[in-house]
């Protein structure tokens, strides 16, 4: 065997090149596609979406009026598309966090983590490789739903803008929830612990925040009613504060952000901003919830990735 | 030339318990160094510090000039580390396993392909190239693990109990492989409980107890260093009393016991307690032959590694 000089890592690479050269991504993708799990997830996803869309279609088809008017057909198209995207959003939240939750902790449990740590693979490449594999797998799940969601195109009513927003929404969700799973996987020693914590966080983000938002809305309405008498704010200021807090809460839950964006598209016919009218008649505009959602979840992903790299890099003390 | 592994005053504490206590050690390039000690003596802790997996509380260690504390990446480039129990990926083939770790060392695809073939040949696993890793026997997995440590052609191999849990045949095969690697110029630093392996293949031995090195050297050096009194056995056909008187008068002789052997020849066996060096021992034999005493056997008792180990690590049992 002749001596092989260890190649220094090239500094600049395209993302595609980096992805092809990252051994972790390749290994993870190979392992995922080799097992039965990937096939099972794709099949269950297609069955769930297909079943739901069929149900909607059959309900509409039972009404003979549906096929008489183009606007009824467009409504059917919109409903199929919104249902498919909404369902895919829920599935993506859970599959993303669960597909990344064993990324680091399972290496520890399998006793392969130390072997990786003594190679020249930087902690950053290990974390990003695991994340890329999880996100790519979830994108595959999302892609597998396209044939079902595209049934809506037969009926019309779905705009290019809506397709673009839905795509951004799903991709950001896949990235963010994979980052959440990965973060807990790097932080906790056992996969079972990481799974439990990650599931709780996912449930809080999905359902806890909308419930919290309703409670806060009730409390803030009271505050607005009393105006400045107790808080020292004028009623307009109190109303502005309430609206901002509610807008923020709407934007940080995938469900509320998704529903609010859908309502915005249906009612206001605009996808970029949300206008709220105060009791004195003044209109206040906020960025559309999906924009805030994208920004917040991208920032959260970056933070969680950085923390995961730090946890992986840590030398035992 | 500076030693390839240099450990200076290395200390590691877990809470109040001291695992490694001001440990000093130097290993020269090309050596097969056996690191021996009872359970909990600090062997694995030392190896994990050298492999940059654990941070020491004090002291320093260098491998091929790289500090494990300040230049862990440099250290990782020159070492191949195999832990005591290491995991394997269940869904990988043998060649994929080596190829994956080659990629983790940034080796190019073409080089990896060639290296994987070379390494499989070295560890005699070419026919198992396409088998799933988890279907291999423990011995085979250990050999594959060893091949993995070699994928980036490291100068130093740090192996924690490489032969533990293996059957006798697999143990011999691993032993032969380590000798072959040393022949290829690698420095092998390994911990073990199996003293026979150490005696068989190590160029030097370090005995650690309670986090401290209690002895280092070749097996001969350790034997000589520990022997306070040598035991010499002499068998004579006749004139045993004369031989006993001559031996008792020699300087360094602490006592001579005579035993008549219960066989047809009726030889007398003399057991001599002696503290002299090899020259004095040779003079003893010359003196006996000069007096024409009919000697049929002359030998010295030698301590084996087990005796040395027991003697040096006695305090841990006290």
């Amino acid at each position: 065997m002749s001596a092989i000089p260890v190649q220094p890592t090239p500094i600049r690479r395209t993302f595609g090149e980096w992805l092809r050269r990252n051994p972790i991504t390749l290994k993870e993708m190979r392992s995922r596609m080799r097992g039965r799990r990937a096939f099972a997830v794709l099949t269950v996803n297609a069955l769930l979406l297909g079943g739901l869309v069929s149900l909607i279609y059959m309900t509409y088809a039972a009404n003979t009026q549906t096929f008489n008017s183009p606007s009824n057909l467009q409504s059917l198209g919109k409903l199929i598309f919104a249902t498919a995207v909404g369902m895919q959003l829920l599935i993506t939240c859970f599959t993303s966090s669960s597909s990344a939750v064993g990324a680091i902790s399972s290496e520890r449990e399998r006793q392969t983590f130390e072997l990786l740590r003594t190679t020249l693979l930087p902690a950053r490449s290990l974390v990003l490789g695991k994340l890329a594999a999880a996100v790519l797998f979830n994108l595959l799940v999302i892609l597998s739903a396209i044939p079902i969601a595209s049934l809506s195109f037969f009926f019309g009513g779905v705009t290019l803008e809506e397709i673009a927003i839905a795509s951004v929404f799903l991709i950001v969700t896949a990235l963010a929830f994979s980052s959440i799973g990965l973060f807990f996987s790097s932080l906790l020693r056992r996969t079972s612990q990481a799974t439990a914590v990650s599931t709780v966080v996912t449930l809080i983000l999905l359902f806890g925040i909308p419930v919290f938002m309703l409670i806060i809305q009730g409390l803030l309405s009271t505050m607005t009613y009393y105006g400045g008498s107790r808080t020292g704010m004028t009623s307009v200021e109190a109303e502005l504060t309430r609206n901002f807090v509610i807008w923020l809460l709407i934007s940080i839950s995938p469900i509320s952000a998704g529903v609010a964006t859908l309502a915005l598209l249906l009612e206001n016919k605009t996808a970029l901003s949300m206008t709220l009218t105060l009791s004195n008649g003044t209109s206040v505009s906020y960025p559309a919830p999906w924009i805030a959602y994208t920004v917040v979840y991208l920032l959260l992903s970056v933070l969680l990735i950085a923390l995961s790299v730090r946890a992986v890099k840590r030398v035992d003390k | 030339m500076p030693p390839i592994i240099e450990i200076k005053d290395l200390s590691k504490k877990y809470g109040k318990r001291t695992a490694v206590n001001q440990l000093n050690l130097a290993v020269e390039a090309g050596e097969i160094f056996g690191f021996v000690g009872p359970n909990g003596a600090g062997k694995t802790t030392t190896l994990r510090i050298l492999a940059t997996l654990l941070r020491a509380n004090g002291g320093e260690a260098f491998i091929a000039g790289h500090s494990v504390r300040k230049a862990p990446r440099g250290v990782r480039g020159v070492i191949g580390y195999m832990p005591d129990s290491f995991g394997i990926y269940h869904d990988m083939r043998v060649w994929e396993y080596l190829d994956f770790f080659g990629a983790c060392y940034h080796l190019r695809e073409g080089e990896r392909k060639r290296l994987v073939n070379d390494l499989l040949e070295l560890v005699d696993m070419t026919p198992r190239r396409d088998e799933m890793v988890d279907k291999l026997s423990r011995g085979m997995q250990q050999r594959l693990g060893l091949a993995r440590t070699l994928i980036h052609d490291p100068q130093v191999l740090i192996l924690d109990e490489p032969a533990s849990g293996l059957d006798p045949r697999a143990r011999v095969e691993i032993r032969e492989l380590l000798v072959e690697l040393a022949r290829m110029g690698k420095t092998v630093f390994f911990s073990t409980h199996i003293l026979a392996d150490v005696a068989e293949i190590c160029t030097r031995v370090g005995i650690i107890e309670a986090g401290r090195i209690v002895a280092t050297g070749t097996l001969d050096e350790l034997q000589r260093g520990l022997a306070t009194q040598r035991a010499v056995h002499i068998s004579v056909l006749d004139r045993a009393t004369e031989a006993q008187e001559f031996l008792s008068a020699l300087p360094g002789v602490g006592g001579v016991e005579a035993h008549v052997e219960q066989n047809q020849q009726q030889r007398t066996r003399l057991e001599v307690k002696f503290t002299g060096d090899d020259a004095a021992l040779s003079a003893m034999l010359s003196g006996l032959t000069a007096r024409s005493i009919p000697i049929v056997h002359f030998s010295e008792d030698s301590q084996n590694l087990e005796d040395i180990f027991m003697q040096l690590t006695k305090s841990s049992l006290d």
Side-chain angles (χ1 to χ4, degrees), chain B residues 15 47 52 63 94 140 156 163 165 189 197 204 224 289 311 318:
Chain B
L47 262 56
T52 71
I63 300 183
V94 166
M140 284 285 177
V156 180
F189 184 80
D197 289 353
R204 278 204 313 142
R224 277 203 299 273
T289 48
Q311 208 170 323
D318 293 343

Side-chain angles (χ1 to χ4, degrees), chain A residues 1-10 13 20-28 30-32 34-35 106-123 125-126 130 189 312-317, chain B residues 12-14 48 51-55 73-74 76-77 79 81-83 85-93 95-97 99-101 103-108 111-112 114-115 118-119 122 132 148 150-153 184 186:
Chain A
M1 232 171 66
S2 58
I4 298 291
V6 173
Q7 305 293 327
T9 318
R13 275 185 194 156
R20 274 198 308 278
R21 282 175 184 249
N22 188 309
I24 300 290
T25 312
L26 282 181
K27 179 190 85 68
E28 289 289 313
R30 194 183 271 160
S31 303
R32 268 177 211 276
R34 225 170 231 173
S106 69
E107 295 279 358
R108 286 201 180 100
E109 287 169 335
R110 216 189 278 139
Q111 295 180 307
T112 45
F113 185 63
E114 292 200 339
L115 303 184
L116 289 175
R117 287 279 314 283
T118 52
T119 67
L120 293 178
L121 191 77
S125 296
L126 173 59
K130 292 274 184 184
R189 295 225 158 238
V312 167
K313 213 184 255 181
R314 197 178 49 209
V315 177
D316 286 349
K317 286 183 179 168
Chain B
K12 176 71 195 168
K13 282 185 176 182
Y14 294 106
R48 280 171 54 81
T52 71
L53 292 170
L54 198 62
R55 191 167 291 158
R73 203 172 153 78
R76 287 170 194 163
I79 64 160
Y81 172 65
M82 187 162 87
S85 56
F86 63 94
I88 40 146
Y89 294 106
H90 297 286
D91 37 27
M92 265 189 172
R93 296 180 196 286
W95 75 266
E96 286 173 346
Y97 183 78
D99 185 72
F100 167 66
F101 279 100
C104 289
Y105 282 103
H106 311 308
L107 299 178
R108 294 189 197 286
E111 285 167 346
R112 294 205 304 266
R114 186 176 59 76
L115 276 166
D118 286 355
L119 288 171
L122 179 75
M132 299 305 278
R148 178 192 56 75
L150 293 165
I151 192 81
H152 57 302
D153 197 23
M184 287 163 65
K186 312 277 176 212

